[in-house]
Amino acid sequence: AQSVTQLDSQVPVFEEAPVELRCNYSSSVSVYLFWYVQYPNQGLQLLLKYLSGSTLVKGINGFEAEFNKSQTSFHLRKPSVHISDTAEYFCAVSGDYKLSFGAGTTVTVRA
Amino acid sequence: NAGVTQTPKFQVLKTGQSMTLQCAQDMNHEYMSWYRQDPGMGLRLIHYSVGAGITDQGEVPNGYNVSRSTTEDFPLRLLSAAPSQTSVYFCASSLGQGVSGANVLTFGAGSRLTVL
């Protein structure tokens, strides 16, 4: 079984400032890690994924995440956010045929 | 391609009523799943299917039934609706989840259900 903990439920940030969303996971098997984004009143879209190889993963819209096996973390970062990045972000871990999601982090970008 | 199509987008039910949420995908995906989204709880897996004729329970299956008679369709049935089933429901599919879990889910737009 696997589980995901997103350490921040709300992250307010000013436009053009950097943002980091923290995600820790636990699993008894090898895992694959994902970040999804949900814009208001929409379904989820994939931001990026870690399957294997380089621990630094780049995704869409300037986001990147780093897989840290020793700390069981997969934090998401963006160096400069835009108003359009206002959304809810979900970290997810895949293993044993199932994808488990964290509770989500709401990012609100202010001008 | 339409991707994953969910109907209806909104539904209001009375306690005890039954209904079916429809999900269809046109990508020939083997794996399909249903999640419910509740504030502060993320998405929780209700049921999933790894192919036609094969279904299994997820984290919160009670009160829901599924079937998979075709590759394209994966309906979710509420047998006797309860207020605790008020939620937003998402259907999602992928080429194949498999042991690797490497395939990415494509989500529908969601169905918002209110049970009074």
Side-chain angles (χ1 to χ4, degrees):
Chain A
Q2 65 269 356
S3 65
V4 175
T5 301
Q6 291 184 242
L7 300 172
D8 309 288
S9 59
Q10 309 255 0
V11 174
V13 59
F14 286 106
E15 193 174 20
E16 298 183 6
V19 70
E20 179 180 77
L21 308 184
R22 297 179 293 167
C23 171
N24 287 345
Y25 70 92
S26 66
S27 176
S28 57
V29 298
S30 296
V31 297
Y32 302 89
L33 295 157
F34 306 81
W35 277 97
Y36 283 83
V37 60
Q38 184 180 32
Y39 298 106
N41 300 313
Q42 295 186 25
L44 279 73
Q45 305 173 31
L46 180 71
L47 267 181
L48 49 79
K49 61 184 177 182
Y50 171 79
L51 304 181
S52 64
S54 173
T55 57
L56 184 63
V57 180
K58 293 190 183 298
I60 62 172
N61 300 339
F63 284 93
E64 64 180 31
E66 186 160 16
F67 170 59
N68 188 320
K69 188 174 182 179
S70 63
Q71 297 188 4
T72 60
S73 68
F74 191 55
H75 301 334
L76 180 72
R77 302 182 182 95
K78 185 170 182 178
S80 176
V81 296
H82 303 288
I83 297 289
S84 58
D85 292 321
T86 293
E88 190 161 18
Y89 294 80
F90 293 94
C91 183
V93 59
S94 176
D96 290 343
Y97 292 90
K98 301 172 187 175
L99 191 66
S100 298
F101 287 85
T105 298
T106 299
V107 173
T108 304
V109 181
R110 301 167 180 169
Chain B
N1 285 341
V4 178
T5 302
Q6 290 182 235
T7 56
K9 293 191 186 310
F10 302 95
Q11 183 71 49
V12 179
L13 291 177
K14 295 181 179 178
T15 297
Q17 287 185 315
S18 63
M19 77 156 298
T20 299
L21 298 177
Q22 302 290 347
C23 176
Q25 53 88 11
D26 60 359
M27 299 170 285
N28 202 30
H29 283 177
E30 288 187 7
Y31 180 89
M32 297 186 74
S33 55
W34 277 101
Y35 288 85
R36 60 176 289 172
Q37 183 180 23
D38 302 290
M41 304 189 74
L43 281 81
R44 293 180 291 169
L45 183 63
I46 304 171
H47 285 285
Y48 66 98
S49 168
V50 298
I54 306 169
T55 63
D56 205 348
Q57 295 181 351
E59 183 183 356
V60 288
N62 292 342
Y64 307 95
N65 272 0
V66 292
S67 60
R68 184 94 179 269
S69 56
T70 67
T71 299
E72 295 78 18
D73 300 299
F74 191 47
L76 178 72
R77 297 182 185 86
L78 281 71
L79 306 175
S80 178
S84 60
Q85 293 178 303
T86 293
S87 187
V88 180
Y89 292 85
F90 288 97
C91 180
S93 70
S94 73
L95 279 171
Q97 196 71 0
V99 180
S100 72
N103 289 292
V104 173
L105 290 176
T106 300
F107 281 84
S111 298
R112 185 176 294 275
L113 176 66
T114 301
V115 183
L116 303 176

